[in-house]
Amino acid sequence: MFDEKGEQYLDCINNVAHVGHCHPEVVKAAQKQMELLNTNSRFLHDNIVEYAKRLSATLPDRLSVCYFTNSGSEANDLALRLARQFRGHQDVITLDHAYHGHLSSLIEISPYKFQKGKDVKKEFVHVAPAPDIYRGKYREDHTDPASAYADEVKKIIDEAHNSGRKIAAFIAESMQSCGGQIIPPAGYFQKVAEYVHGAGGVFIADEVQVGFGRVGTHFWSFQMFGEDFVPDIVTMGKPMGNGHPVACVVTTKEIAEAFSSSGMEYFNTYGGNPVSSAVGLAILDVIENEDLQGNATRVGNYLTKLLNKQKAKHTLIGDIRGVGLFIGIDLVKDHQERTPATAEAQHIIYKMKEKRVLLSADGPHRNVLKIKPPMCFTEENAKFMVDQLDEILTGLEEAVGAKTESVISEDTPCRTKMPEEAHSEPLSDGSPDPKENPSRKRNGLCTDKHSLLSKRLKT
């Protein structure tokens, strides 16, 4: 990417420009169709039919009915309507730290949002623990974390039934993005689907951020959990239009028929319009013709290997997790307690930007560096990004006396040398002060024997 001064930046986070910014084939398809015809979806046009065929061909056979929308939020809102109409149930189970869109109906089921605001959880919303085996309730040392996390969903269902409530749907991203790049343990979704179906509900897989080949091994992220797991509803958006607003809900014929039998016709003025469909078709062509799915596997594996070398070198890196070009770097102040290094993550983001590399942080503590670049990301791009990260981590650890080989005795007072221009400011919970300009957030100094990085520097 380039700014207004012509400075070049490496984009490591843009999962919207899926096949690359301003891809000529996508631009050409949009321009050609715009010159010919663009109108609302009441007018029949071949593009929407062809696009529905191409999309459904990438999915398991029973997912065969497409509803086109303009955004992932619209898609998830419609998915809730489909689920609730199916058997007349109302309640929704969602994962902690989940985010599913900006509409009121979705804020209600997005703990990532409603837990931060003044909204209270609605009685028809039930929050299950995120299946995070690094920082969650059941971790990598548990004998069967998939079953343990799924049993939490079963417990929610039982409690809801005991209160006279009925479950309409369980909704989850196939890999949790805003929750901190979380990859559920194998077998978790199968067990959850079994419990949800037993309660008369449906399983909604939110692929808005993680679909269209990003995991490399499969076109859809939910497919990597096995052929014996097929959601009842799949939602998609973001990468679907490479920056053009197009999204979709795909479901089974049974659910679609229950929805249409309600007598409420579904109509979306712009959903699946000729230009949007032409753009979507062009993107499917580019993914196939340029082997971007294979590229996600090759470059993703290479990048993960480089990052694991950094983990062995830098104490701030607690965990590297991900699949394909969907990777998270969990930053910690100490490995045993896994204390989130929130301020340090913010520092790294801004320092990387100064080096013309665009990264971002997410997760409930905003300490996870997220990597989900355009699918044309190369090994050279990966090497450049990691080299810059290595340099920043090294400088940060030197500044706070937290090099890997450093050992500070419990009986030795902390005497970490600060840069002359820096001063420290303690934070009660290790989180950034929301009143401050985030670009001024910096990192901390040793305050006790447990944490070398519990204060933030302002430089």
Side-chain angles (χ1 to χ4, degrees):
M1 298 184 77
F2 299 84
D3 66 14
E4 72 280 8
K5 298 178 181 178
E7 295 285 350
Q8 179 176 296
Y9 290 80
L10 177 61
D11 183 358
C12 302
I13 53 172
N14 202 323
N15 62 332
V16 173
H18 192 62
V19 300
H21 293 277
C22 309
H23 194 291
E25 293 301 317
V26 178
V27 173
K28 184 167 67 176
Q31 183 178 3
K32 182 179 178 181
Q33 184 58 52
M34 183 69 82
E35 289 176 345
L36 181 64
L37 172 72
N38 196 28
T39 184
N40 72 64
S41 301
R42 287 210 186 275
F43 292 85
L44 299 180
H45 194 275
D46 287 345
N47 280 4
I48 190 172
V49 179
E50 179 63 22
Y51 193 27
K53 287 180 180 178
R54 291 278 300 276
L55 275 179
S56 60
T58 67
L59 290 157
D61 290 343
R62 73 188 196 93
L63 292 168
S64 58
V65 182
C66 300
Y67 296 87
F68 289 96
T69 68
N70 304 293
S71 71
S73 290
E74 279 191 17
N76 281 331
D77 178 75
L78 178 58
L80 291 182
R81 288 175 57 196
L82 289 165
R84 285 169 169 155
Q85 178 64 34
F86 184 49
R87 289 204 172 94
H89 299 178
Q90 176 71 13
D91 289 25
V92 177
I93 301 173
T94 187
L95 294 178
D96 202 6
H97 316 308
Y99 175 67
H100 295 290
H102 67 85
L103 301 181
S104 297
S105 61
L106 304 173
I107 295 296
E108 291 174 345
I109 64 166
S110 297
Y112 180 80
K113 287 293 185 181
F114 74 66
Q115 289 178 349
K116 294 179 180 179
K118 296 180 179 178
D119 295 337
V120 295
K121 184 176 75 66
K122 302 294 191 294
E123 61 179 2
F124 57 80
V125 176
H126 310 275
V127 180
D132 180 355
I133 62 171
Y134 179 72
R135 192 178 293 285
K137 186 175 183 178
Y138 308 107
R139 300 187 174 183
E140 70 275 8
D141 56 353
H142 192 281
T143 54
D144 188 0
S147 294
Y149 278 116
D151 287 345
E152 294 285 337
V153 176
K154 178 67 164 59
K155 188 186 304 180
I156 287 172
I157 293 172
D158 291 341
E159 291 173 353
H161 286 174
N162 291 337
S163 301
R165 308 198 65 86
K166 295 181 178 180
I167 303 299
F170 172 91
I171 184 170
E173 290 181 279
S174 302
M175 301 185 294
Q176 204 175 30
S177 182
C178 291
Q181 312 295 92
I182 305 302
I183 316 298
Y188 170 72
F189 281 149
Q190 283 91 335
K191 294 177 186 296
V192 169
E194 178 185 343
Y195 296 147
V196 171
H197 290 156
V202 302
F203 194 111
I204 303 171
D206 181 342
E207 292 265 340
V208 170
Q209 297 216 53
V210 297
F212 290 87
R214 180 159 293 278
V215 294
T217 55
H218 299 83
F219 199 80
W220 302 104
S221 295
F222 74 80
Q223 292 172 322
M224 70 180 177
F225 297 104
E227 293 183 359
D228 58 338
F229 169 64
V230 179
D232 304 292
I233 301 173
V234 175
T235 61
M236 54 194 77
K238 289 190 191 301
M240 190 172 179
N242 213 58
H244 183 89
V246 58
C248 189
V249 180
V250 185
T251 190
T252 65
K253 192 173 181 181
E254 183 185 13
I255 291 174
E257 287 176 348
F259 186 59
S260 61
S261 69
S262 68
M264 184 183 295
E265 179 191 51
Y266 172 74
F267 174 68
N268 190 308
T269 302
Y270 299 113
N273 68 72
V275 171
S276 294
S277 297
V279 167
L281 285 165
I283 288 161
L284 294 180
D285 288 340
V286 171
I287 292 172
E288 181 178 351
N289 295 339
E290 299 184 7
D291 188 27
L292 294 185
Q293 198 174 324
N295 187 66
T297 296
R298 291 186 295 272
V299 178
N301 288 344
Y302 176 71
L303 177 53
T304 300
K305 182 179 179 180
L306 293 180
L307 289 172
N308 276 314
K309 288 181 179 179
Q310 294 300 308
K311 179 186 173 185
K313 180 178 179 181
H314 297 290
T315 56
L316 269 172
I317 299 178
D319 189 38
I320 303 293
R321 52 180 176 262
V323 184
L325 287 175
F326 181 89
I327 300 170
I329 307 172
D330 199 311
L331 301 179
V332 297
K333 294 180 179 180
D334 67 82
H335 282 244
Q336 186 172 355
E337 297 297 325
R338 301 183 180 181
T339 309
T342 300
E344 291 78 0
Q346 302 307 309
H347 171 84
I348 290 168
I349 288 168
Y350 292 111
K351 284 296 184 183
M352 288 290 277
K353 185 180 178 184
E354 290 176 7
K355 292 179 175 291
R356 305 292 189 262
V357 178
L358 302 179
L359 276 179
S360 184
D362 228 322
H365 308 287
R366 302 196 72 81
N367 69 304
V368 180
L369 302 180
K370 58 182 180 181
I371 303 171
K372 43 184 181 178
M375 295 277 282
C376 54
F377 206 69
T378 65
E379 290 187 359
E380 289 76 17
N381 296 149
K383 178 69 163 57
F384 179 77
M385 187 212 79
V386 173
D387 285 347
Q388 308 314 303
L389 180 64
D390 180 24
E391 186 177 322
I392 291 169
L393 285 170
T394 299
L396 176 59
E397 290 170 348
E398 287 175 352
V400 297
K403 282 186 177 180
T404 305
E405 66 270 17
S406 295
V407 178
I408 298 179
S409 167
E410 293 185 4
D411 300 322
T412 304
C414 176
R415 296 191 179 91
T416 305
K417 185 176 181 181
M418 295 173 58
E420 291 181 5
E421 71 276 17
H423 69 273
S424 64
E425 178 182 42
L427 291 176
S428 59
D429 60 357
S431 61
D433 183 352
K435 297 179 182 178
E436 288 197 2
N437 180 343
S439 67
R440 291 177 58 86
K441 294 174 183 172
R442 292 299 182 262
N443 299 280
L445 304 176
C446 172
T447 55
D448 57 41
K449 64 187 179 184
H450 300 295
S451 174
L452 293 168
L453 301 170
S454 62
K455 293 183 181 179
R456 183 176 71 248
L457 295 183
K458 289 165 61 180
T459 59

